[in-house]
Amino acid sequence: MAKAERITGTPEPEPGAGADSAEESEGGKTVKPEQGTGQRKRRITALLLVALFVYLLDLGSKLLVVAKLEHHEPIQVIGTLLQFTVIRNRGAAFSMGEALTIFLTLIAVAVIVVIARIARKLYSLPWAIALGLLLGGAFGNLTDRLFRSPGVFEGAVVDFIAPAHFAVFNLADSGIVCGGILIVILSFRGLDPDGTVHKD
């Protein structure tokens, strides 16, 4: 049966003790845990910066395309393979579930709450980036649902990236998908948000 090694870096290191004193190894492989509240704060900062970048990029792109492109002919970016065209989507990512707008809004709020809880024990930079992508994307689409017509919790999300033979989406959707893919990769590699590494 496969063996798993857990190394958690949450405790504050002893005064005068170097990081090397916390190393543990198995089978000739050494894993050094992340340590200290300072490390956690830096990871949370990274999460928030990634989230802010995704959010501002998504918000800015939506404001621009609504002002310049809505009610106009699509812009061909790569011929008919990729176009920019504005649609108002009351469903989930990629225009799915249009009858569930309020429910999808609540899901977005729940995702934000879960990320906030995970951040309390966050010591992994890759996880900080992944959660930041999710958080920025969730806030981006949630902003639309709260402040765009037809009303609060029922607002239509602005989508504008239209590849051929695929659903129209936005940069918030892209952040959510990229964050989800990164989380799957980190999970398969045995890395937990708290810096724990599972080794077979």
Side-chain angles (χ1 to χ4, degrees):
M1 186 172 71
K3 295 181 179 179
E5 177 179 324
R6 286 184 57 85
I7 299 176
T8 305
T10 52
E12 190 78 43
E14 293 295 329
D20 293 341
S21 63
E23 294 183 358
E24 296 184 22
S25 63
E26 180 179 326
K29 296 181 179 180
T30 301
V31 180
K32 186 181 296 184
E34 307 292 356
Q35 293 187 355
T37 56
Q39 186 76 29
R40 180 172 62 84
K41 290 179 180 178
R42 287 192 292 272
R43 298 305 182 238
I44 293 175
T45 299
L47 185 160
L48 294 176
L49 288 175
V50 171
L52 182 63
F53 175 77
V54 172
Y55 178 75
L56 292 178
L57 194 63
D58 177 67
L59 180 62
S61 65
K62 289 173 179 174
L63 292 174
L64 180 62
V65 298
V66 167
K68 302 294 185 180
L69 187 56
E70 193 168 28
H71 308 306
H72 291 77
E73 291 296 317
I75 294 177
Q76 293 187 348
V77 181
I78 308 177
T80 58
L81 294 178
L82 178 63
Q83 302 182 65
F84 287 164
T85 182
V86 176
I87 68 166
R88 300 291 183 124
N89 171 25
R90 297 186 62 188
F94 309 115
S95 303
M96 296 182 292
E98 293 192 7
L100 303 173
T101 308
I102 295 179
F103 180 67
L104 294 170
T105 302
L106 296 177
I107 289 178
V109 173
V111 168
I112 293 170
V113 171
V114 169
I115 292 173
R117 290 179 62 86
I118 294 175
R120 294 164 59 187
K121 297 182 179 180
L122 183 63
Y123 288 83
S124 165
L125 180 58
W127 269 94
I129 294 172
L131 293 175
L133 290 169
L134 283 176
L135 185 62
F139 262 119
N141 284 339
L142 182 60
T143 299
D144 283 358
R145 298 194 188 282
L146 291 177
F147 298 108
R148 294 192 186 274
S149 60
V152 177
F153 298 118
E154 297 182 351
V157 173
V158 174
D159 290 333
F160 64 94
I161 304 172
H165 312 298
F166 196 72
V168 183
F169 60 97
N170 58 43
L171 296 180
D173 296 333
S174 300
I176 291 170
V177 170
C178 291
I181 291 173
L182 183 53
I183 286 174
V184 170
I185 293 173
L186 295 173
S187 298
F188 271 111
R189 296 189 64 180
L191 178 62
D192 288 348
D194 64 359
T196 299
V197 179
H198 301 269
K199 293 166 57 180
D200 293 335

